[in-house]
């Protein structure tokens, strides 16, 4: 403030010893002093505004980090940790889940509806002219035989008749296409549970909490014969044991893959589906 008063005094065109007080034009020295005063005042005001804004931004960031710890954790983690069934938990056979789902679907509610709620993550993959285009899927049937044929046709994409049913890894590969397109009703979920129960290779692994915090039962498949590198994958399907609803599907590397810099235990992809 003292510096600004000095500048103001220096810009005064009338000296203390001059005659009567009256307006006079500013001389060159006074104009320079006045311009310096105005420029310096504005610059300091701008500096104060900038400093205040920066301080406010820092304070806001600190508040977010303190009140939303998951935000910092999410941004710092490039890949999720693999899920694991709870140690010592009881494993429910798929055949039992299928029976429970059939009983829960007696009244047909809830019904099938188009669209779905899905949370998904996957390792970066190449895209380009060889990438498969997305395909919509028609309305799925609600009987086990019809749904098995439906999924087989979706997997083969009209390539022709196959010699046998879909293997467990093939079935789990095509399942996300269905569940990303449709929210299954009780009857469709029951039919799917029966198809899964009749498919060899899915073993019950026990109770688990999925990525949306829901309790479910895990069913694991880890063979993947016939595909390059697929024997290094573990597929884990998570079901609601009471209704047969599919809660999630996770694929994890069981062996290191140096070519893509993946370690054993890294998650390749996961999906979590919810009704609403």
């Amino acid at each position: 403030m003292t510096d600004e008063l000095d500048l103001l005094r220096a810009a005064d065109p009338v000296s203390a010893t001059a005659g009567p007080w009256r307006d006079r034009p500013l001389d060159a020295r006074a104009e320079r002093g006045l311009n310096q005063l105005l420029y310096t005042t504005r610059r300091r005001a701008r500096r104060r505004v900038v400093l205040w804004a920066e301080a406010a931004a820092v304070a806001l960031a600190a508040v977010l980090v303190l009140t939303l710890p998951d935000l910092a954790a999410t941004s710092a983690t490039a890949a999720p940790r693999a899920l694991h069934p709870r140690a010592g938990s009881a494993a429910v056979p798929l055949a039992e889940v299928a029976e429970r789902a059939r009983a829960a679907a007696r009244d047909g509610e809830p019904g099938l509806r188009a669209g779905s709620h899905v949370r998904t993550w996957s390792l970066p993959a190449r895209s380009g002219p060889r990438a498969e285009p997305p395909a919509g899927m028609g309305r799925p049937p609600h009987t086990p035989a019809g749904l098995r044929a439906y999924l087989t046709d979706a997997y083969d994409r009209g390539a022709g008749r196959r010699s046998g049913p879909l293997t467990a890894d093939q079935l789990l590969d095509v399942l996300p296409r269905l569940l990303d397109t449709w929210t299954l009703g009780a009857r469709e979920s029951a039919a799917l549970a029966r198809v899964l129960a009749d498919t060899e290779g899915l073993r019950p692994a026990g109770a688990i909490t999925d990525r949306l915090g829901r309790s479910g039962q895990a069913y694991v498949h880890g063979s993947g014969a016939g595909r390059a590198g697929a024997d290094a994958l573990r597929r884990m399907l998570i079901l609601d044991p009471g209704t047969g609803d599919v809660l999630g599907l996770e694929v994890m590397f069981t062996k290191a893959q140096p070519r893509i810099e993946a370690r054993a235990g890294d998650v390749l992809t996961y999906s979590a589906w919810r009704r609403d």
Side-chain angles (χ1 to χ4, degrees):
M1 180 64 71
T2 302
D3 293 341
E4 293 174 358
L5 288 175
D6 291 340
L7 288 171
L8 187 59
R9 293 190 187 100
D12 188 354
V14 180
S15 67
T17 59
W21 297 96
R22 60 190 180 87
D23 290 337
R24 294 182 181 179
L26 296 177
D27 59 18
R29 179 183 62 81
E31 282 192 2
R32 285 196 303 270
L34 184 59
N35 288 335
Q36 185 178 2
L37 172 64
L38 295 174
Y39 173 76
T40 303
T41 302
R42 290 172 182 168
R43 183 175 59 187
R44 288 178 179 173
R46 284 197 301 269
R47 185 183 302 131
R48 281 192 289 269
V49 171
V50 170
L51 291 176
W52 178 88
E54 290 177 349
V58 171
L60 178 60
V63 169
L64 288 175
V65 170
L66 290 174
T67 59
L68 301 174
D70 289 342
L71 183 63
T74 300
S75 60
T77 304
R81 293 182 179 179
L83 295 177
H84 297 282
R86 293 193 289 273
S89 62
V92 181
L94 266 171
E96 184 174 339
V97 174
E99 283 302 309
R100 293 180 185 177
R102 183 181 64 82
R106 284 173 181 165
D107 62 358
E109 294 296 332
L112 174 74
R113 69 170 185 245
S116 70
H117 297 271
V118 58
R119 173 182 173 183
T120 184
W121 180 92
S122 62
L123 282 175
R126 288 193 306 176
S127 61
R130 295 185 180 180
E132 295 182 349
M137 299 184 73
R139 184 182 182 89
H142 58 264
T143 64
L147 189 58
R148 184 182 294 107
Y150 174 93
L151 292 172
T152 300
D153 184 64
Y155 183 85
D156 290 339
R157 296 194 177 186
R161 292 185 177 273
R162 60 172 42 244
S163 57
L166 292 177
T167 62
D169 57 333
Q170 290 172 339
L171 179 59
L172 296 182
D173 280 350
V174 74
L175 199 55
R177 292 187 55 212
L178 168 64
L179 299 177
D180 287 351
T181 307
W182 295 93
T183 298
L184 300 187
R187 291 173 177 169
E188 291 79 17
S189 290
L192 179 58
R194 174 48 57 190
V195 171
L196 292 168
D198 293 342
T199 301
E200 294 184 2
L202 282 169
R203 62 177 182 83
I208 195 170
T209 300
D210 79 346
R211 296 187 184 277
L212 299 183
R214 302 167 297 183
S215 295
Q217 281 282 319
Y219 300 89
V220 175
H221 177 73
S223 64
R227 288 181 11 177
D231 57 342
L233 296 178
R234 182 205 72 173
R235 293 173 175 81
M236 183 170 66
L237 184 69
I238 303 174
L239 300 182
D240 183 321
T243 64
D245 289 348
V246 178
L247 304 181
L249 176 63
E250 176 178 284
V251 182
M252 182 195 79
F253 287 111
T254 59
K255 298 179 182 178
Q257 304 293 310
R259 185 175 61 84
I260 59 173
E261 299 182 354
R263 301 166 298 178
D266 282 353
V267 174
L268 173 61
T269 180
Y270 79 76
S271 296
W273 295 276
R274 59 187 179 91
R275 177 160 291 278
D276 50 25

